[in-house]
Amino acid sequence: LLGAYAWASYERCKVWQNEFTFFNQLLMENPRSTQAVLSLGAIAMRTSNYSLAADLYAKALELQPGNVKAINYRSQALLNLGRVNEVAQWLEPILQRTDFPDPDIYFWDDMLVTLGQARIQMGQRDAGINSICLALKLQRMNPRAQQAVRDLGGTPAQICSGH
């Protein structure tokens, strides 16, 4: 029995040549799997295919509206595509809401960092710094917020004083 199971697993692994084919197969078998779509989006982000990632995260939001992970990562994909106006238009009203079923604080502060980066790229430096500093208030060790502050040429104490 163990040998048969091992052989079946081996054969299945030949079908799943990599993680993309694994999650794609999973999605074909369960087209309403938000987690499979999120996983495919993560692979697209990791391989710098931001356009595909943005589309996949949009699909995840169709399957599960309000999914904070999909909102967060879609906004990062859009930022990486240089669609900063869309990021700001997308995130500003979302960050005003309080009725999400998945209020994971990590994603809220990460979305604030993305919004801050978009605002800075749009020429709204003070508003961008405010968003990044608010992210640091929520989670002072957020690596993206820490990097954003370094990119601004200072430390959190220097950049966020007065914000």
Side-chain angles (χ1 to χ4, degrees):
L1 182 61
L2 184 58
Y5 180 73
W7 179 256
S9 294
Y10 172 76
E11 289 298 312
R12 182 57 112 177
C13 285
K14 289 195 301 191
V15 172
W16 300 330
Q17 299 166 0
N18 54 46
E19 62 186 337
F20 185 81
T21 57
F22 170 78
F23 287 112
N24 208 28
Q25 175 77 32
L26 181 62
L27 189 59
M28 287 175 25
E29 292 174 7
N30 185 2
R32 302 221 26 96
S33 173
T34 305
Q35 188 56 50
V37 176
L38 289 171
S39 296
L40 286 168
I43 295 165
M45 287 288 281
R46 207 170 40 251
T47 58
S48 301
N49 191 341
Y50 303 120
S51 182
L52 176 60
D55 291 345
L56 287 164
Y57 292 128
K59 179 179 171 102
L61 288 166
E62 288 173 17
L63 294 172
Q64 187 181 14
N67 183 296
V68 177
K69 291 177 185 177
I71 293 167
N72 179 44
Y73 294 132
R74 180 172 187 267
S75 65
Q76 289 179 30
L78 294 172
L79 183 68
N80 283 314
L81 289 168
R83 293 161 56 181
V84 293
N85 290 328
E86 193 174 343
V87 171
Q89 291 171 351
W90 165 250
L91 282 182
E92 285 173 354
I94 287 171
L95 289 169
Q96 301 300 317
R97 293 179 56 188
T98 58
D99 60 338
F100 285 109
D102 181 17
D104 189 326
I105 192 74
Y106 176 78
F107 293 107
W108 286 100
D109 65 311
D110 223 29
M111 286 187 280
L112 284 164
V113 173
T114 302
L115 178 59
Q117 291 171 322
R119 286 174 167 166
I120 289 169
Q121 289 181 31
M122 294 167 58
Q124 301 171 3
R125 184 177 168 85
D126 284 341
I129 290 172
N130 283 337
S131 293
I132 293 167
C133 292
L134 180 55
L136 285 168
K137 286 179 185 175
L138 290 174
Q139 179 56 265
R140 67 182 179 89
M141 297 307 293
N142 179 300
R144 290 187 65 237
Q146 294 284 335
Q147 184 60 51
V149 166
R150 284 192 296 277
D151 291 346
L152 291 167
T155 65
Q158 294 167 328
I159 299 295
C160 295
S161 66
H163 286 277

